[in-house]
Amino acid sequence: KEPKQSYDFEKAPTDLNILYEDENVILLDKKPGILVHQDESYHFDSLVSRLQHYLYKKGEYNPKDENSFSPALANRIDRNTGGIVIGAKNAESLRILNEKIKNREIKKFYLCLVFGKLKRKSALLQDYLVKDEKKNKVTVFRNEMPNSKIIKTKYTVLDENEKFSLLE
């Protein structure tokens, strides 16, 4: 009897919060703390591994039947950020999604809750970011620093009360 083939993605849980799914795409609500893709410290639990495991269990994905495509994610968000991630179930869907993201036909919006009221109800902030991969930490500076990248953040206050402001 042939031994059963096993795959690394089978070690990942199949816990997914699915917002929408059809034969081509799947929209997932990623919770903070989950990696989108594997990194150097890959421990078999990432959103893409969960997606592949989920589709494998549903019978919609079999790595033995695929020549080169594996279900993939078209966008990514940081480990400590929650939000919607778009999954592609086939190569053509991934190609179309990547093209639409590149051409900015798919818009990304973030909501942020901040402590206090902002003096300006809308602004474009420009600063410099330095990322420390080993510590998984970023630092933002007002002035350009060695190895920094310019970052621009446009915000608009959507709602506020005495303690908090909700920003887009």
Side-chain angles (χ1 to χ4, degrees), residues 15-36:
D15 300 347
L16 294 173
N17 185 359
I18 299 168
L19 302 173
Y20 173 83
E21 180 177 7
D22 64 24
E23 67 276 1
N24 297 305
V25 298
I26 184 168
L27 300 182
L28 304 170
D29 182 10
K30 184 192 97 56
K31 299 299 179 204
I34 297 174
L35 284 171
V36 172

Side-chain angles (χ1 to χ4, degrees), residues 9-163:
F9 63 75
E10 289 183 282
K11 297 174 185 172
T14 54
D15 300 347
L16 294 173
N17 185 359
I18 299 168
L19 302 173
Y20 173 83
E21 180 177 7
D22 64 24
E23 67 276 1
N24 297 305
V25 298
I26 184 168
L27 300 182
L28 304 170
D29 182 10
K30 184 192 97 56
K31 299 299 179 204
I34 297 174
L35 284 171
V36 172
H37 293 102
Q38 302 86 349
D39 66 5
E40 310 84 49
S41 64
Y42 178 54
H43 51 82
F44 302 108
D45 188 11
S46 66
L47 194 62
V48 72
S49 295
R50 288 181 183 202
L51 173 62
Q52 290 170 353
H53 192 183
Y54 166 78
L55 294 173
Y56 180 72
K57 281 178 72 173
K58 277 183 70 177
E60 292 186 27
Y61 168 58
N62 186 347
K64 289 193 299 190
D65 296 341
E66 298 295 330
N67 292 329
S68 62
F69 179 80
S70 298
L73 302 171
N75 65 314
R76 58 187 295 157
I77 51 180
D78 292 341
R79 174 190 300 211
N80 296 322
T81 302
I84 299 172
V85 178
I86 307 167
K89 293 182 170 186
N90 54 62
E92 180 65 10
S93 296
L94 183 61
R95 186 193 63 73
I96 291 167
L97 287 166
N98 285 338
E99 185 177 310
K100 292 193 175 296
I101 289 169
K102 179 182 173 189
N103 294 335
R104 300 195 184 276
E105 293 177 59
I106 294 177
K107 306 276 187 209
K108 296 185 278 184
F109 296 91
Y110 296 87
L111 295 178
C112 177
L113 187 64
V114 298
F115 186 75
K117 286 186 171 184
L118 281 75
K119 291 177 185 169
R120 294 186 291 169
K121 301 306 176 202
S122 183
L124 176 64
L125 308 175
Q126 181 173 308
D127 292 294
Y128 296 87
L129 180 139
V130 176
K131 187 170 186 176
D132 184 336
E133 296 282 349
K134 292 179 182 166
K135 294 181 181 175
N136 192 27
K137 181 180 178 183
V138 297
T139 307
V140 176
F141 297 93
R142 291 248 177 240
N143 300 308
E144 190 170 5
M145 303 294 285
N147 302 316
S148 66
K149 293 183 179 179
I150 193 165
I151 56 171
K152 295 179 182 180
T153 303
K154 181 180 178 182
Y155 75 84
T156 301
V157 175
L158 299 177
D159 198 8
E160 61 188 0
N161 62 27
E162 294 304 313
K163 291 186 178 183

